[in-house]
Amino acid sequence: MSAAVRTITTTPFDDQRVGTAGLRKKVRVFQQTHYLENFVQAVFDTHPGFEGSTLVVGGDGRYHNDTAIQTILAMAAANGVAKIIVGKGGILSTPAASHLIRKYDAHGGFILSASHNPAGPDGDFGIKFSIHGGGQASSALTDAIYARSQEIDRYRLLDAAPVPLDDVGAATLGDMTVDVIDSTEDYADLMESLFDFDAIRALLASDFRFAFDAMHAVTGPYATRLFVERLGASPDSVRNAEPLPDFGGGHPDPNLVYAADLADEAINQQALDFAAASDGDGDRNMILGRGVFVSPGDSLAVIAANASTIPVYADGIPGAARSMPTSRALDAVAAQQGFDAYETPTGWKFFCNLLDAGRIAICGEESFGTGSDHVREKDGLWAVLAWLNLLAARRGESLAEILLAHWKTYGRHYYERHDYEDLSAEQADAVMQSLRAQLAELPGRTLNDLTITAADEFGYTDPIDGSSADGQGLRVIFGDAARIVLRKSGTGTSGATLRLYLEELRSDEWELRLPTHEVLGPLSAVADSLCQLREQTGRDKPSLVT
Ligand code: G16
């Protein structure tokens, strides 16, 4: 009996404009009748080419993942999609989904995730649409999807039973084929094609103490496949490996605050030579060595500086990119090594044209994201393997020694991000406005012995397609010496979050191993008074420092 396509009448929701990385809301918002359906139909109505196409669908396994996937399957079948590739159990990490879109030449994909945000009935949920090539939809496309969502009056759905997703195999839904696959194999094959697995295997077989924390999120099965099955690490080196719908009640944000136990073991107890963690959907990473934390900006710079140790970049890289708030450690490497460096707005999608055009091979962000041209998303496990590859190539040197050698060559960009969470939109705007209003008169002023050389609101023109993005954050630049950046987060699900980014370069050898907060304390005071943070927010300190 063939299933019937139903056309359901609906009315618009006014909050379906996507943020930095897809539409992120509380689970309960997504559970409203028609909410997810409206957004998905708006995508089908806006982006051409779904008829007869192949799509990839999966998510980070968080609460509501399975329900949302069944909705998308039924809608895809009703909208003429020919085939959907779904991760077993509905699970796909964000980078693995990007890889599948590329490998199977899919028209695009839906990735269900709210990244590192907590999950569960009171937690967060999200959806992002990726295009052919595996990158997130451009701002022009998401603007068009939003416009469509504001006039939507119906969506199409196939009336059919849920498709079983727990086992690998093929099923049909109306005229559509549903291929349930184990994406850990595809992903591990890709990683094996990029890195020197023999050298990493030898490193892990030595007395090298290694741990990876999957934080009960999506990377557990991928990490087990890679580190244990392909690289011979002991099974207990992959921790919290089982993806859970509530992430075990944790906050799968790999940083010193939310992965504090791992950090304590590596940094304070010095009980691990190398440790790493990844986030809810597997695109973020945190890197630790014995006694040291590698800041995301440094991680990007060190990987780029040593790119030729990665077999696929043995002949060097054409260029690398960072998002504007990310530390300028990368720029120092590019200047010395002679490759091109690009500065883009926050959001991985801004790297994609540069990657597609072959202008850059490596890119990264301060928000614990690093990646390369192998996919069009950041990739937590790629970054871990890049570091293992480097440690294997420079066997005998500890991670701390590699970092110190890097700082001696390029200087050290001390870096901190101060988040002010759950502000009202008015408070956040008032802080932005008070700094914005001073920008024109700041150049030339000397504060705390540092002279401001430029102050502006960052805007970007894409060098490949000429598209532009304005209002991407406020910058106060003290030459190469220091920088203060202020912007509003585009990923929150309640209230407004302000991010204050502080960076200061130190190059003398005695200054390379100071506590970060000690170096940045004076700059932090300058930033607080410039932005009038206390006055405008009533807060005397940030909610989170990373
Ligand atoms: C997303 C984006 C990143 C961005 C980060 C933080 O990451 O993909 O490009 O740096 O959000 O954005 P914001 O500062 O606007 O909150 P993820 O890992 O959350 O998908």
Side-chain angles (χ1 to χ4, degrees), residues 20-21 24 114-117 128 136 279 281 283-284 323 346-349 365-367 377-378 417 487-492 499 501:
T20 309
R24 284 190 197 161
S115 186
H116 53 288
N117 294 9
K128 46 190 175 181
Q136 288 173 42
D279 71 330
D281 62 329
D283 56 2
R284 297 186 176 207
S323 64
T346 294
W348 204 263
K349 61 190 171 201
E365 294 187 276
E366 52 67 37
S367 54
E377 293 274 7
K378 56 188 185 273
R417 184 176 100 182
R487 60 178 283 279
K488 262 171 40 170
S489 160
T491 54
R499 303 206 196 284
Y501 310 83

Side-chain angles (χ1 to χ4, degrees), residues 344-369:
T344 60
T346 294
W348 204 263
K349 61 190 171 201
F350 292 104
F351 293 135
C352 291
N353 278 348
L354 295 168
L355 291 164
D356 286 347
R359 297 265 190 110
I360 61 169
I362 288 173
C363 42
E365 294 187 276
E366 52 67 37
S367 54
F368 294 79

Side-chain angles (χ1 to χ4, degrees), residues 338-469:
F339 60 77
D340 293 332
Y342 296 84
E343 182 177 45
T344 60
T346 294
W348 204 263
K349 61 190 171 201
F350 292 104
F351 293 135
C352 291
N353 278 348
L354 295 168
L355 291 164
D356 286 347
R359 297 265 190 110
I360 61 169
I362 288 173
C363 42
E365 294 187 276
E366 52 67 37
S367 54
F368 294 79
T370 328
S372 84
D373 52 4
H374 67 293
V375 290
R376 293 296 178 268
E377 293 274 7
K378 56 188 185 273
D379 189 342
L381 287 167
W382 179 90
V384 177
L385 286 166
W387 271 97
L388 285 171
N389 196 97
L390 174 57
L391 287 160
R394 290 171 64 168
R395 191 115 170 240
E397 282 179 88
S398 70
L399 193 152
E401 286 163 347
I402 290 174
L403 208 51
L404 184 60
H406 182 92
W407 293 333
K408 282 183 181 166
T409 308
Y410 302 102
R412 177 171 180 187
H413 291 76
Y414 285 91
Y415 192 86
E416 254 177 22
R417 184 176 100 182
H418 295 188
D419 290 343
Y420 291 80
E421 297 171 328
D422 265 320
L423 300 172
S424 68
E426 293 73 25
Q427 284 175 316
D429 288 338
V431 177
M432 293 292 289
Q433 191 47 38
S434 64
L435 180 58
R436 189 181 286 116
Q438 301 169 63
L439 291 177
E441 66 207 34
L442 286 179
R445 270 178 70 185
T446 297
L447 301 168
N448 192 42
D449 293 338
L450 292 167
T451 301
I452 300 175
T453 53
D456 63 6
E457 183 147 21
F458 182 61
Y460 178 68
T461 301
D462 186 299
I464 310 301
D465 67 10
S467 61
S468 59

